[in-house]
Amino acid sequence: MTHFLDINKTDPGDLRHMVDHAIEMKTARAGLPKGTPDAEQPLAGHMVALIFEKPSTRTRVSFDLGVRQMGGQTMVLSGSEMQLGHGETIADTARVLSRYVDLVMIRTFEEEVLLEMAEHASVPVINGLTNRTHPCQIMADVMTFEEHRGPIKGKKVVWCGDGNNVFASFAHAAGQFGFDLTFAGPETLDPERLFLDEARAKGVTVEIERDADKAVANADLVVTDTWVSMHDSQTARERRHNQLRPYQVNEALMAKASPDALFMHCLPAHRNEEATDAVMDGPHSVIFDEAENRLHAQKAIMRHCLGV
Ligand code: CP
Ligand code: NVA
């Protein structure tokens, strides 16, 4: 069973192939209307379940469109409308869904839900975000970097802000794709040590720097994300804002990175909080390429999981 649960759980050769394949598939449909089927229809006859226990715009639309472009069909399910939200076990849900569909993508809260789904499903399961990681996003981000700047191997990526689920998948990717990573944020919002140690064990440099100006020196890519994630308690909002304000990505900070540094944000953004309009809409920003590339990267991920 080929699941796509996390970047650190996938073979580096397979990850490389998926990014290259995503770029090939994107190139092959350049300029075509969005609803045009791909020339190849590898998902013909396949049914894909997309389960959302949290809100989504990009993940929902890009997975649905990607399946359709490849000739498959989708059903989009919200957790609260399923028996899953009313006491049925994850294991039984996985067993039942496996009788109906060929692939399951799930966005959920606790990572354990994803892992239990994968353990009991007899079809591939894809992680569409948990409280802990967001691997599909970072596959799209690696693809986006490489489209603009060539191989990401050996480059310096700087994360400014909360040590959250999106950062965690960047740390996984650092180890697997071979780039250096600096975390710039307050100690109270540090990422789990395990993510940093695992990347270091794969031979890349991973640093923590409390001074954002110092952190971004020579950065090839500056990344941030919302200061309050979907699973974070809203009561901590003000405290988080106060702690994270020194790590806002603004023009002054971007000016300290490499002159050709890119800026990324997975979106949705809270404009003028974690990043200013001038940066989000400025010359370094590739945020909408990232959003588009979710489509292409996930098509490659689905083909990898289904072996088609
Ligand atoms: N970046 C991302 O996953 O966006 P959505 O929450 O809109 O899916
Ligand atoms: N860190 C954010 C990412 C959203 C795509 C969250 O989990 O809410």
Side-chain angles (χ1 to χ4, degrees), residues 55-60 107 134 137 230 266-268 294:
S56 169
T57 296
R58 280 142 288 268
T59 307
R60 180 179 167 149
R107 164 169 288 195
H134 194 7
Q137 179 66 51
M230 291 182 272
C266 66
L267 307 177
R294 294 290 303 277

Side-chain angles (χ1 to χ4, degrees), residues 232-288:
D232 288 324
S233 145
Q234 285 299 319
T235 56
R237 199 173 178 280
E238 197 178 325
R239 182 166 44 82
R240 284 176 157 270
H241 276 231
N242 290 334
Q243 291 171 341
L244 287 161
R245 211 159 280 123
Y247 301 94
Q248 183 193 63
V249 184
N250 49 40
E251 281 176 302
L253 189 68
M254 279 309 294
K256 298 198 166 76
S258 282
D260 68 345
L262 297 178
F263 168 74
M264 289 191 190
H265 188 313
C266 66
L267 307 177
H270 294 79
R271 282 175 171 262
N272 301 310
E273 290 180 7
E274 67 269 15
T276 58
D277 283 340
V279 169
M280 296 204 41
D281 303 323
H284 301 278
S285 176
V286 289
I287 56 175
F288 298 112

